[in-house]
Amino acid sequence: MKKYLLSTLMFFFFLTLYAQEGVIQGKVLNPINNDPIPFANIIVQGLEVGAVSDLEGNYVISGLEPGLYNVKASFVGFKSKTVFEVQVTKASAVQLDFELEEDASNLQEVVVDATFSRTEETPVSARQLNSNEIERYPGGNRDISRVIQSLPGVASSASFRNDIIIRGGAPNENKFFVDEIEVPVINHFATQGSSGGPVGILNVNLIQNVEVLSGGFPANRMNALSSFFEFQLKDGRRDKMLTQVTLGASEVTLSNEGPIGEKTTYIFSARRSYLQGLFRLIGLPFLPTFNDFTFKTKTKINDKTELTVLGVGAIDQFALNFDVPDGETEEERDDRLYLLDNLPISTQWNYAMGAKLKKFRDNGFWAFILSRNMLNNRSYKYSGNDESSEDNLQFDYLSQESENKFRAENSIFSKGYTLQYGVNYEFSRYLIENYDVKFTDQNGLPRDVSSVSLFNSYGAFVMGSKKYFEDRLVVNLGLRMDGSDFGETAKNPLNQLSPRFSTSYQLKDNLFWNANAGIYYQKPPYTVLGFQNNEGIYENQVNDVKFMRSTHYITGFEWQFPAKNRKLSAEVFYKSYANYPSSIRNGIALANLGADFGVIGNEPVTSDAKGRAYGLELLAQQRLYKGFYGIAALTLVRSEFTNPNTGYLPSSWDNRFIVSLTAGKRFKKDWELGARWRFLGGTPYTPYDLESSSLRANWDLYNSGRFDFTRINGERLKSFHQLDLRVDKKYYYNKWNLNWYFDIQNAYNFQAEQQANLVPNRDDQNGLVVDPEDPSRYLIREVANPAGTVLPTIGVIVEF
């Protein structure tokens, strides 16, 4: 008994010592068949420290000081792989798994490793960011949608929105996958029919890395024209529970992970905002509140079968604040009342849930993915915000989008070639209940509809890759077809054939030439597909609305310097658009819309707009090396679209010049300093029609200026630039960690030009002033609407 007690005490003593040093542990696997890779070498770059995996692929590296490390795994016959900026602490061992791809060309010597994201299927336009790059990004406020603005081809706006604009395409042209499960909405207060919003939904604490494909999409990806985002969440810890609490500028977040039995792990987060309290305190007329959650479980049913279950959701509420701030000036009063006259009261919630079953075999695997997602969008507005009478109701909007999806994909890997094929099916439901006095029918009656639309969509793909010339040349061919019953043309999948071709040639050990050409299709938004007039006619289906189409041509060079964790690339691209919806009401292509709140596409359209976007991207990326990291990206881009009554005109996303410079340095005692500088050319905008806007009948109906669509995007804003700074400090203790950061957005307080607001003059009783020379008009004026203020933020992250 004494020996047993002594042994137990000694065990806990050594366990305590073990927990007080930094440890990296994990498994090395073959992603083709999920077999462990024994005798693989795992080394910590810059240190004479490493380990060799055992027969089960497990390894442990101990004795590390807390800090960031680059860790590399390699084995003969496989491509080596480097994981950057692995955060080592005393509180818990790092769980770091490696998946090494087979590569027969490396039997003699590993020349180029998988330091940067490029595969046989996506040799062009693929960029990747890891969790530390996301979390410490200056000015990003831990929001993934803002972080990716450091990459080439990605434009951003001067406002507080984080619309994703890739290579001159509209925000609704992007698709998002989390662990291969589609998540249509990744922003709070999302614009229906588009993808933007002010705050991201995904918690960066859970993200392991994100890959952005801005072109050259493989054939197993569908229904997007500009980009695909592939988010990979961390797997939950297999050894013990870990909790993280984050107190940020606008919200508090709780994250937790750990094992559930021997075969299942979990990870989840929940977030609650307190923006409404801050906004009320500083006297803003709107009070947003948001909540979100994310969870993931992964079950290893057996050595060849894995099941992943995912859930992402959000609840958003938007209320008005009628309090009058102390010391308000006349101009501030007019701006506040203008916003109160135009902002609706709204509630929005959404979720996406899915399961992925992966069945491995010796030469590949099957993947079966079943998911459901739903968006509920409700908003209403009363004239003068007076809800005492229904006669004051200006509009009442309720819309629901729900999708049920299934995909089955088979991947076969053999020496020198790969083959993949699969099918997909989707059943979707769109509900709309809409009353709106702003839009009337032929009889002068307000829009008043209630309808439910059901859609069936289907598709299939096949693609293969083959290597030539001692594996220096890789060729990938793909073909997919998609169909849907929302229109006569769309029903036949042969009308949406999507051939795709990619190639990569290794000119030297570290120099690659890459190219791609492909045709891609995307369904119009449900707001377009389910639009119904007062007579119950689905006008857009009668008009035979079509899949939107984009043809891409891309070529470029890529230089990799694995020894210094460095990459240089240059790409030129050309995108040609067709079948884009355009508004019958105002004669503008919907490609120019989507960077504001509300709903896009809830109107009659025709599929007759065309477009083109082309440009040059230059990228220099330095992963962590001797304490330094950075990304420099330059994009020259032109984006143009036709409208029903015009030829090619600059689109709303035609920045022309985009520069993003991000750099950081780690110092002793775990201090870190980062900076980002952005420069964007001004975007075009459509000016107001002052004559039409000043009419009392129009202003009383719309409460805002009317645009002059005879001058679509006829004016251009001035260029925008901004500097963001961030300081991080970390503390490592035996059982917990502490990280605080200080972030300054717009450090030199640049005032970016935005389109002016058109507001009416008001008298002392806040009434609108009638033009004394023309009683049918109000006196209105344009008021400057600059964006930009110095925004300091302090955040605290506790992990235990």
Side-chain angles (χ1 to χ4, degrees):
M1 183 68 179
K2 291 182 180 179
K3 290 183 178 180
Y4 173 77
L5 291 175
L6 180 60
S7 299
T8 303
L9 290 174
M10 291 295 291
F11 171 78
F12 281 108
F13 173 73
F14 285 114
L15 183 64
T16 303
L17 292 179
Y18 181 76
Q20 290 178 351
E21 64 181 10
V23 176
I24 301 175
Q25 62 186 25
K27 300 191 70 172
V28 186
L29 300 169
N30 184 335
I32 291 176
N33 51 31
N34 209 38
D35 286 345
I37 301 177
F39 311 118
N41 294 306
I42 303 93
I43 62 170
V44 179
Q45 289 187 350
L47 301 177
E48 297 299 325
V49 176
V52 176
S53 60
D54 62 17
L55 292 175
E56 299 299 321
N58 298 304
Y59 75 92
V60 177
I61 302 175
S62 57
L64 299 173
E65 290 293 323
L68 285 181
Y69 297 95
N70 299 333
V71 185
K72 182 176 181 178
S74 61
F75 187 64
V76 174
F78 290 79
K79 292 182 180 179
S80 61
K81 183 175 182 179
T82 303
V83 177
F84 293 89
E85 304 187 32
V86 177
Q87 181 68 69
V88 174
T89 71
K90 296 180 180 180
S92 58
V94 176
Q95 182 174 289
L96 180 62
D97 297 336
F98 286 91
E99 293 184 344
L100 301 186
E101 298 178 10
E102 294 184 33
D103 187 4
S105 65
N106 287 343
L107 288 175
Q108 300 299 320
E109 181 182 2
V110 176
V111 179
V112 178
D113 68 6
T115 300
F116 296 94
S117 177
R118 63 189 316 277
T119 66
E120 294 177 9
E121 295 80 19
T122 59
V124 297
S125 307
R127 327 290 186 192
Q128 191 175 87
L129 296 170
N130 62 40
S131 58
N132 270 289
E133 290 173 311
I134 296 168
E135 189 163 339
R136 58 127 188 273
Y137 186 72
N141 199 22
R142 296 168 53 80
D143 189 333
I144 184 61
S145 297
R146 295 182 182 273
V147 174
I148 59 99
Q149 294 170 4
S150 64
L151 300 177
V154 184
S156 57
S157 64
S159 70
F160 56 87
R161 288 176 58 89
N162 54 12
D163 299 287
I164 299 173
I165 302 160
I166 305 249
R167 290 180 170 176
N172 70 335
E173 297 176 13
N174 311 301
K175 281 292 178 292
F176 312 99
F177 290 82
V178 179
D179 283 330
E180 299 186 66
I181 296 170
E182 185 175 349
V183 178
V185 180
I186 67 164
N187 285 297
H188 290 283
F189 307 101
T191 300
Q192 190 174 3
S194 187
S195 66
V199 182
I201 289 175
L202 297 176
N203 178 7
V204 300
N205 296 344
L206 275 60
I207 297 175
Q208 180 168 308
N209 59 62
V210 56
E211 183 179 52
V212 183
L213 303 178
S214 54
F217 314 136
N220 63 342
R221 288 293 178 257
M222 66 290 201
N223 204 31
L225 302 182
S226 279
S227 75
F228 285 91
F229 285 73
E230 306 277 358
F231 297 95
Q232 183 181 357
L233 299 188
K234 302 173 183 176
D235 290 340
R237 297 187 64 88
R238 295 186 289 266
D239 55 353
K240 68 172 186 176
M241 183 183 294
L242 183 69
T243 301
Q244 187 177 75
V245 179
T246 302
L247 184 66
S250 58
E251 75 278 338
V252 59
T253 306
L254 171 67
S255 306
N256 183 264
E257 61 178 301
I260 305 176
E262 296 182 357
K263 294 185 176 182
T264 302
T265 63
Y266 75 91
I267 185 168
F268 87 92
S269 77
R271 179 165 53 169
R272 168 75 176 180
S273 76
Y274 44 80
L275 272 177
Q276 66 278 14
L278 295 176
F279 281 24
R280 185 182 294 277
L281 185 66
I282 61 180
L284 293 179
F286 47 90
L287 304 173
T289 303
F290 63 83
N291 307 269
D292 58 54
F293 69 86
T294 303
F295 75 85
K296 172 187 172 181
T297 66
K298 189 170 184 178
T299 302
K300 186 176 180 180
I301 299 174
N302 55 50
D303 290 343
K304 294 294 185 180
T305 309
E306 293 179 350
L307 175 65
T308 300
V309 178
L310 174 78
V312 178
I315 303 173
D316 305 327
Q317 295 176 318
F318 193 91
L320 299 180
N321 178 19
F322 299 103
D323 297 341
V324 179
D326 295 334
E328 184 181 50
T329 66
E330 181 177 339
E331 184 173 328
E332 290 172 340
R333 178 204 64 176
D334 290 352
D335 286 345
R336 179 175 59 84
L337 293 177
Y338 170 79
L339 290 174
L340 288 175
D341 281 345
N342 285 277
L343 291 175
I345 296 174
S346 61
T347 301
Q348 187 179 104
W349 55 261
N350 66 84
Y351 68 82
M353 298 184 67
K356 177 181 68 174
L357 182 68
K358 207 166 185 179
K359 183 69 176 177
F360 294 91
R361 57 182 185 276
D362 290 342
N363 68 337
F365 53 84
W366 273 97
F368 303 95
I369 300 164
L370 181 66
S371 66
R372 172 178 169 82
N373 55 265
M374 185 171 182
L375 168 69
N376 186 94
N377 192 15
R378 168 79 197 285
S379 61
Y380 63 89
K381 186 69 178 178
Y382 284 81
S383 177
N385 298 302
D386 180 6
E387 301 182 23
S388 61
S389 172
E390 289 300 310
D391 293 337
N392 295 328
L393 183 64
Q394 293 182 311
F395 72 86
D396 191 349
Y397 179 87
L398 171 65
S399 177
Q400 293 180 346
E401 301 177 5
S402 59
E403 297 176 324
N404 304 278
K405 303 177 181 180
F406 173 75
R407 301 199 325 265
E409 300 179 1
N410 188 20
S411 300
I412 302 170
F413 301 87
S414 184
K415 185 176 181 180
Y417 76 90
T418 63
L419 176 66
Q420 294 174 270
Y421 60 87
V423 295
N424 62 278
Y425 171 75
E426 175 185 311
F427 174 73
S428 54
R429 174 181 180 269
Y430 175 72
L431 175 148
I432 182 170
E433 296 177 0
N434 188 201
Y435 173 83
D436 198 332
V437 300
K438 297 178 183 178
F439 301 105
T440 57
D441 59 17
Q442 296 177 350
N443 300 317
L445 297 176
R447 172 169 167 75
D448 190 2
V449 299
S450 177
S451 69
V452 174
S453 304
L454 304 177
F455 303 105
N456 296 275
S457 302
Y458 32 87
F461 80 92
V462 60
M463 66 177 177
S465 300
K466 185 75 171 67
K467 297 180 179 179
Y468 302 92
F469 307 124
E470 297 180 342
D471 295 347
R472 300 185 74 88
L473 175 66
V474 178
V475 176
N476 179 272
L477 293 173
L479 178 68
R480 76 166 296 116
M481 61 178 69
D482 293 284
S484 182
D485 57 8
F486 63 76
E488 283 300 318
T489 300
K491 286 181 181 178
N492 185 352
L494 295 178
N495 293 329
Q496 289 82 228
L497 280 178
S498 306
R500 305 164 189 208
F501 165 80
S502 296
T503 186
S504 178
Y505 185 73
Q506 188 174 358
L507 299 170
K508 296 182 178 180
D509 287 344
N510 66 334
L511 176 61
F512 300 83
W513 169 74
N514 308 309
N516 165 266
I519 298 175
Y520 311 102
Y521 286 91
Q522 180 179 334
K523 292 187 300 184
Y526 287 109
T527 50
V528 168
L529 303 182
F531 175 79
Q532 186 185 80
N533 62 24
N534 284 2
E535 288 72 40
I537 298 174
Y538 291 93
E539 290 190 47
N540 295 331
Q541 295 182 35
V542 172
N543 294 336
D544 191 25
V545 65
K546 298 178 177 63
F547 275 83
M548 301 181 292
R549 187 183 74 200
S550 182
T551 304
H552 292 201
Y553 303 96
I554 307 167
T555 187
F557 295 91
E558 179 179 315
W559 295 263
Q560 291 190 9
F561 305 90
K564 295 185 178 180
N565 305 334
R566 187 175 301 159
K567 169 186 172 179
L568 304 174
S569 68
E571 287 187 1
V572 293
F573 63 90
Y574 183 92
K575 298 194 295 185
S576 175
Y577 291 89
N579 302 341
Y580 226 101
S582 59
S583 171
I584 294 176
R585 287 175 180 161
N586 54 38
I588 185 172
L590 299 194
N592 288 301
L593 306 177
D596 204 353
F597 296 102
V599 177
I600 303 301
N602 187 28
E603 58 180 307
V605 302
T606 56
S607 297
D608 57 359
K610 297 185 293 183
R612 59 194 179 197
Y614 51 92
L616 167 69
E617 293 178 355
L618 302 177
L619 170 69
Q621 183 174 7
Q622 175 67 66
R623 288 282 176 76
L624 182 66
Y625 182 72
K626 295 184 178 179
F628 176 80
Y629 55 86
I631 298 178
L634 167 66
T635 304
L636 307 178
V637 60
R638 295 296 301 269
S639 176
E640 301 170 324
F641 274 87
T642 67
N643 301 280
N645 301 311
T646 72
Y648 282 100
L649 295 175
S651 80
S652 299
W653 328 111
D654 184 45
N655 288 98
R656 298 190 177 182
F657 303 97
I658 306 172
V659 179
S660 177
L661 305 176
T662 306
K665 181 71 171 68
R666 291 186 56 81
F667 299 94
K668 295 180 179 180
K669 298 184 178 180
D670 300 304
W671 286 90
E672 186 172 337
L673 175 65
R676 175 186 68 159
W677 185 75
R678 290 181 293 159
F679 176 90
L680 292 96
T683 53
Y685 68 93
T686 301
Y688 293 111
D689 183 339
L690 299 180
E691 289 296 316
S692 176
S693 300
S694 63
L695 288 172
R696 294 175 63 183
N698 281 344
W699 194 273
D700 290 341
L701 182 63
Y702 297 105
N703 291 318
S704 61
R706 308 302 296 152
F707 293 108
D708 184 357
F709 288 110
T710 65
R711 296 189 291 159
I712 296 173
N713 289 339
E715 303 289 341
R716 188 178 288 269
L717 301 174
K718 295 179 180 178
S719 297
F720 154 75
H721 50 88
Q722 178 174 311
L723 174 66
D724 303 322
L725 302 172
R726 176 166 169 141
V727 177
D728 279 83
K729 177 69 172 79
K730 292 181 173 64
Y731 301 87
Y732 304 103
Y733 302 99
N734 288 339
K735 295 184 178 181
W736 64 292
N737 307 309
L738 173 66
N739 172 208
W740 65 262
Y741 61 88
F742 179 58
D743 190 285
I744 304 178
Q745 297 182 42
N746 196 20
Y748 52 71
N749 196 27
F750 180 79
Q751 299 295 296
E753 182 186 27
Q754 296 188 116
Q755 185 170 8
N757 287 329
L758 197 61
V759 302
N761 291 349
R762 296 180 182 269
D763 56 28
D764 294 338
Q765 287 74 43
N766 296 338
L768 277 60
V769 177
V770 176
D771 187 345
E773 297 182 1
D774 186 351
S776 67
R777 300 180 183 276
Y778 289 122
L779 290 177
I780 59 175
R781 69 185 190 280
E782 287 190 338
V783 177
N785 181 34
T789 184
V790 178
L791 184 60
T793 300
I794 296 178
V796 178
I797 304 172
V798 180
E799 187 177 78
F800 56 92

